[in-house]
Each structure stands twice: as structure tokens, then as C-alpha cells.
Amino acid sequence: MQPAAPLSMWALFQHADYVVQFVMIGLLVASIAVWAIAIDKVLLYARTKKAMDRFEQAFWSGQSLDELYRQLSARPSHSMAALFVAAMREWKRSIEGQPRSFAGLQMRIEKVMDVTIQREIERLESRLLVLATVGSAGPFIGLFGTVWGIMTSFRAIAGQQTTSLAVVAPGIAEALFATAIGLIAAIPATIFYNKFVSDVNKQTQRLEGFADEFAAILSRQIDERG
């Protein structure tokens, strides 16, 4: 009886067809990219949440809005601080440029805050499409490698004219290894994608809630000045 080929992961990769090897390498690269994006997003969302908490504490501390604006506008800002700076910048432009006219000011401020929120959402959602793509396409790419590997194994079996398990098993294992790698890449990608979409939605709700509150504050000041 012919001795069985070694079934270690490296041996499975080495003995696989070139097409299957290409699929495996592509899926491994995708898996590394998924974990790199996941780590980056975890850190980004943690920083954004802390920045929101710090800003809200400063905003509701009773500090002058003009003083807070001067502090934040002096350096690049994101998230809730960027929303505040954009609204205050439009407010000051309108007050200083047309001190006697407040027509449309409320609408302009709300529009500026909407645009800023969309930019922040785009920043938070960047590269999430990669996770969604790997999560949905990874198993199918792995399955393609498996089907190709099984076809190659069957041709080898036909050439050797034997159905011995020692001959069949290595080829089938090599083919199924591609599907396993596809699942290794796709499962974390899907989990991370769903979690990050939830995180983005929570932070978006906080931004929209602050935008509504700040718009109400500015609206009262517009009414007082008008």
C-alpha cells in the first residue's frame, strides 16, 4: 500500500495546485487585512468615544462658547468638536459679516452641521467595505479553490487508476483546506463588520443628538438678537 502523504498545513499548501495556492495566499492576505482594519477601528472608536466624552464635559461645564471655540479651532478636530467648530464658524461669519440680518442663519448652521456629520460618518466607516467584502466573498473564494482542487485530485486519481484512500485523501484535504482558510478570513470579518456598524450607529446618534441640542441653543440666541 502506498504511504499516505503528510497532512500538515504547510504540506497541504505545498502539494496543492497553483490555482489553489493562489486562492489560499489571497485569503491569507485578506485575513491579515481584516485583523489590521479591526485593530485600527477598535482604537479609532475608543479614541472617538473618549474625545466625545471630553468635549461634552467641557461644553456643559459652563465655559464660554467663544472661549471653547478659540481653543478647538486652533487645532484640527474631529467628531463632536468638529461639529461644534463648524457651527460656530458659520455663526461668527454671519454675525460679523451681516450683523443686522439673521435670515436663513438657522438653516445654514443646520446644513453645515449635517455636512460635518456626514464627513465624520465617512471617516468612521472608511474601510468597513473591505470587511463586508471579505465576510461575504471569502467563503465563495475558498469554495472555488476547493472545487478546483477536487477537480485536480480527480484527474490525478484517473491518471493513477486507483481509488486508494492513501491517494485520494491528500488531494481532497488540500482542496478543503482552501475552504477552511476562506472561513477563517470570513467569520472574523463578518463579526467585526457587524460590531463596527453598531458602533458607528451609536456614535452617529450622539453626533445627531448634540447637533439638535446645539442648534436649539443657537436658535434661542438668534431669536434674542432678532
Side-chain angles (χ1 to χ4, degrees), residues 2 146-175:
Q2 184 176 352
T146 295
V147 171
W148 188 276
I150 290 176
M151 290 170 57
T152 303
S153 298
F154 283 164
R155 287 198 299 268
I157 291 171
Q160 297 182 21
Q161 296 182 348
T162 178
T163 58
S164 169
L165 184 61
V167 176
V168 176
I172 301 299
E174 293 161 10

Side-chain angles (χ1 to χ4, degrees), residues 28-204:
L28 286 174
V29 171
S31 181
I32 293 172
V34 164
W35 283 98
I37 292 172
I39 294 172
D40 177 68
K41 290 300 179 185
V42 168
L43 297 176
L44 173 63
Y45 296 159
R47 289 196 306 268
T48 302
K49 184 178 183 301
K50 289 181 180 178
M52 284 185 176
D53 294 339
R54 286 196 304 267
F55 173 80
E56 284 189 325
Q57 184 177 4
F59 182 82
W60 297 111
S61 66
Q63 181 181 2
S64 168
L65 295 183
D66 290 333
E67 179 63 26
L68 183 59
Y69 171 70
R70 281 193 295 269
Q71 293 176 3
L72 295 176
S73 60
R75 60 181 185 271
S77 56
H78 296 289
S79 189
M80 210 172 280
L83 192 60
F84 170 78
V85 169
M88 285 295 293
R89 183 179 294 119
E90 183 62 32
W91 165 266
K92 286 186 170 296
R93 279 180 190 164
S94 300
I95 295 300
E96 295 170 0
Q98 296 177 340
R100 296 184 179 178
S101 175
F102 298 98
L105 176 56
Q106 180 74 22
M107 184 179 299
R108 290 196 301 273
I109 291 175
E110 291 177 355
K111 187 66 176 178
V112 165
M113 288 195 291
D114 287 342
V115 171
T116 305
I117 289 174
Q118 290 303 317
R119 288 175 181 170
E120 287 302 309
I121 292 175
E122 290 176 3
R123 184 177 70 91
L124 295 173
E125 289 183 341
S126 65
R127 291 181 295 174
L128 289 188
L129 182 60
V130 176
L131 300 183
T133 302
V134 174
S136 59
F140 295 103
I141 297 174
L143 182 60
F144 167 76
T146 295
V147 171
W148 188 276
I150 290 176
M151 290 170 57
T152 303
S153 298
F154 283 164
R155 287 198 299 268
I157 291 171
Q160 297 182 21
Q161 296 182 348
T162 178
T163 58
S164 169
L165 184 61
V167 176
V168 176
I172 301 299
E174 293 161 10
L176 292 176
F177 190 38
T179 295
I181 296 177
L183 293 175
I184 289 173
I187 292 173
T190 302
I191 294 173
F192 286 136
Y193 177 77
N194 291 333
K195 180 187 183 304
F196 294 152
V197 167
S198 176
D199 291 342
V200 170
N201 289 335
K202 291 177 182 177
Q203 297 194 5
T204 300

